[in-house]
Amino acid sequence: MSNTVKNKRKIATDLAHFGEQREAHKGAVVSPIFQTSLFTFKDWDAISEAFDHRTESYIYSRGNNPTVTLAQQKIAKLAGGERALLFGSGMAAISAAVLHCVTNGGHVVAVNNIYGPSNNLFYTYLREKMNLSVTFVDGTDISHFEAAIQQNTELIYLESPASGIFSLQDIKAVTQLAKSRGIKTIIDNTWATPYYQKPLTMGVDLEVHSCSKYLGGHSDVVAGVVIGSEERIKTIQVREYEWLGGRIAPMDAWLITRSLQTLPSRLRTISANAMRVAEYLEQHPKIKKVHYPGLKSFGQYELGQKQMTGYTGLMSLQLDTEDLNKIKSFFNGLEIFKIGVSWGGHESLVYALAISYVKEMNEEQFAKTGLSYGDMRISVGLEDVDDLIADLGQALEVI
Ligand SMILES: *Cc1c(COP(=O)(O)O)cnc(C)c1O
């Protein structure tokens, strides 16, 4: 095939074929799993030479492994980034990316509603261990960031849409501001996925994901990824990745490659299902509010349209009651929606973030999330959407 045809390929085609070395593997359509901890060499010079190019060489699987490389190449391509690095969890990826950006005594500006453990990483752990200070901002207006920046600000940490009520940040405006002040930016892009939102093309330095959600997509793997420029990712690779050791297992990377091949079609179905569910819930008399960036009633709908090309399946709803017994009856009354944490798999789930957040955060942190028990989070999966709507309808009858 000519290069011009290759360059015009769309991402669904690349996710199926990019990076595959089928000829080297006897034509196997599915790439093998290199279940090996180390790689052997023919002589002194060969292994010595491998160490001269350690970010590319296969020496030891805490550094590089071919099964992991394949998944990383597909993810980098999908995100429009130069290089990706897979980790054993989203939090391993996030902590490595953050440590790359901060130094002792530095300052971070982060968004209020970031994922709970990320909040704790800044608010509790890095404050105690590295004397880091953090200012949490609402983030829906660029002025919030301007006001929070200090002399020693090293990092602006975004999550758009953010956990909980899915508020957005204007990614281009924030990265412009950060660049003008010499501040690095990280975005947790887990909700939108790199299929529907490409922050690296909007000037973000590092994009992080929990691959345990849509990139894994089948609720059978916990993993994370950091994507960015060749230079930045290589620096993380020889430092945080190799020294803190949060690498992914080859089997898990192989599961992610499998999942990437179906990502566009899974997301299209989930997106259509979620829109139907959100519209149903929005008009339901027992529902006070639905938070879903795809709804026209969403406060920042225009911004979402500007920086995302689609919407995934996670939303939250506020039940029109504060009676905890009724809230629990709705939660327990769902039959198809399973009760569980996480999201982004084939199955529909329900959870109330307040259940764990009140236990994991202090009062000040929890108050800032604005969440209460009646805020339900639902992850819409791949089941038949009419069945999902009927399930919600019967559970809502108790309210
Ligand atoms: C789940 C999640 C994470 C953490 O990922 P793990 O793979 O569970 O470590 C980070 N950010 C967001 C937005 C998440 O939903």
Side-chain angles (χ1 to χ4, degrees):
M1 187 171 292
S2 75
N3 275 336
T4 42
V5 174
K6 269 191 177 163
N7 289 340
K8 278 189 199 148
R9 282 178 173 178
K10 298 282 199 307
I11 195 62
T13 311
D14 275 330
L15 288 173
H17 301 294
F18 182 72
E20 301 284 347
Q21 314 239 325
R22 295 191 177 112
E23 279 170 37
H25 304 142
K26 303 197 184 304
V29 70
V30 175
S31 183
I33 306 176
F34 286 83
Q35 189 67 40
T36 185
S37 64
L38 67 100
F39 301 81
T40 58
F41 293 84
K42 71 175 192 303
D43 58 18
W44 178 290
D45 285 348
I47 194 166
S48 170
E49 153 94 13
F51 273 106
D52 288 336
H53 310 98
R54 59 183 307 141
T55 56
E56 310 309 311
S57 304
Y58 297 111
I59 303 169
Y60 184 57
S61 286
R62 178 158 43 74
N64 275 321
N65 174 287
T67 312
V68 178
T69 305
L70 177 61
Q72 288 174 166
Q73 285 173 341
K74 284 188 201 276
I75 292 174
K77 186 93 180 169
L78 171 65
E82 288 174 3
R83 199 173 167 99
L85 208 49
L86 276 163
F87 289 77
S89 71
M91 284 315 300
I94 289 167
S95 53
V98 168
L99 287 171
H100 167 77
C101 293
V102 299
T103 56
N104 200 34
H107 175 251
V108 176
V109 179
V111 180
N112 279 342
N113 278 79
I114 55 173
Y115 181 66
S118 308
N119 185 310
N120 268 328
L121 176 70
F122 291 118
Y123 186 92
T124 307
Y125 192 82
L126 293 175
R127 198 159 70 156
E128 288 171 9
K129 294 281 186 182
M130 287 180 65
N131 194 25
L132 207 76
S133 57
V134 52
T135 304
F136 287 100
V137 297
D138 176 79
T140 51
D141 195 289
I142 190 69
S143 65
H144 303 159
F145 294 95
E146 270 161 2
I149 289 172
Q150 302 176 5
Q151 207 70 43
N152 61 339
T153 304
E154 297 175 313
L155 170 66
I156 297 180
Y157 186 89
L158 307 176
E159 191 179 304
S160 182
S163 299
I165 56 167
F166 310 109
S167 57
L168 312 182
Q169 301 101 56
D170 185 331
I171 300 171
K172 268 191 190 156
V174 174
T175 58
Q176 264 172 19
L177 170 68
K179 279 195 199 323
S180 74
R181 306 286 179 92
I183 299 167
K184 296 186 190 80
T185 46
I186 298 178
I187 187 167
D188 182 333
N189 194 30
T190 302
W191 189 93
T193 79
Y195 185 66
Y196 284 145
Q197 178 167 267
K198 304 201 187 294
L200 293 170
T201 67
M202 302 180 217
V204 164
D205 292 312
L206 290 170
E207 174 177 346
V208 294
H209 288 272
S210 167
C211 303
S212 322
K213 314 296 161 54
Y214 294 112
L215 297 182
H218 297 67
S219 304
D220 54 10
V221 56
V222 172
V225 71
V226 183
I227 319 155
S229 70
E230 187 86 13
E231 189 191 350
R232 213 179 272 292
I233 297 296
K234 279 184 176 172
T235 307
I236 296 175
Q237 191 179 346
V238 296
R239 294 173 67 91
E240 288 81 13
Y241 189 76
E242 287 203 15
W243 294 347
L244 301 180
R247 72 87 169 110
I248 189 173
M251 174 74 189
D252 286 348
W254 181 87
L255 285 168
I256 287 170
T257 294
R258 172 243 11 211
S259 300
L260 289 170
Q261 288 158 342
T262 59
L263 182 74
S265 41
R266 276 188 290 116
L267 284 181
R268 280 195 294 269
T269 302
I270 282 174
S271 188
N273 283 0
M275 194 63 86
R276 286 262 325 269
V277 168
E279 283 168 354
Y280 167 76
L281 290 171
E282 186 172 41
Q283 55 74 45
H284 199 288
K286 308 279 180 69
I287 303 279
K288 215 193 237 168
K289 178 90 191 145
V290 180
H291 299 282
Y292 184 63
L295 285 175
K296 294 226 165 65
S297 61
F298 183 74
Q300 296 170 288
Y301 180 75
E302 298 299 323
L303 178 58
Q305 285 285 98
K306 204 177 85 182
Q307 59 190 22
M308 291 188 277
T309 54
Y311 308 98
T312 59
L314 191 71
M315 65 188 75
S316 64
L317 55 94
Q318 207 179 358
L319 297 171
D320 193 15
T321 178
E322 276 161 31
D323 179 339
L324 190 55
N325 286 327
K326 286 187 174 179
I327 292 169
K328 285 183 182 173
S329 296
F330 164 78
F331 191 74
N332 298 338
L334 287 162
E335 288 166 12
I336 301 173
F337 285 83
K338 300 298 168 199
I339 297 169
V341 296
S342 197
W343 48 279
H346 50 82
E347 76 288 11
S348 293
L349 293 168
V350 61
Y351 184 57
L353 283 176
I355 295 172
S356 50
Y357 277 17
V358 293
K359 301 177 207 281
E360 289 164 2
M361 293 177 169
N362 68 25
E363 273 175 34
E364 183 197 340
Q365 282 173 294
F366 183 66
K368 278 200 169 177
T369 67
L371 291 169
S372 64
Y373 286 115
D375 291 300
M376 296 283 145
R377 187 180 77 177
I378 62 174
S379 176
V380 176
L382 292 165
E383 299 96 333
D384 186 280
V385 67
D386 293 329
D387 290 338
L388 295 177
I389 287 172
D391 193 25
L392 288 161
Q394 64 80 22
L396 280 166
E397 277 169 24
V398 300
I399 292 172

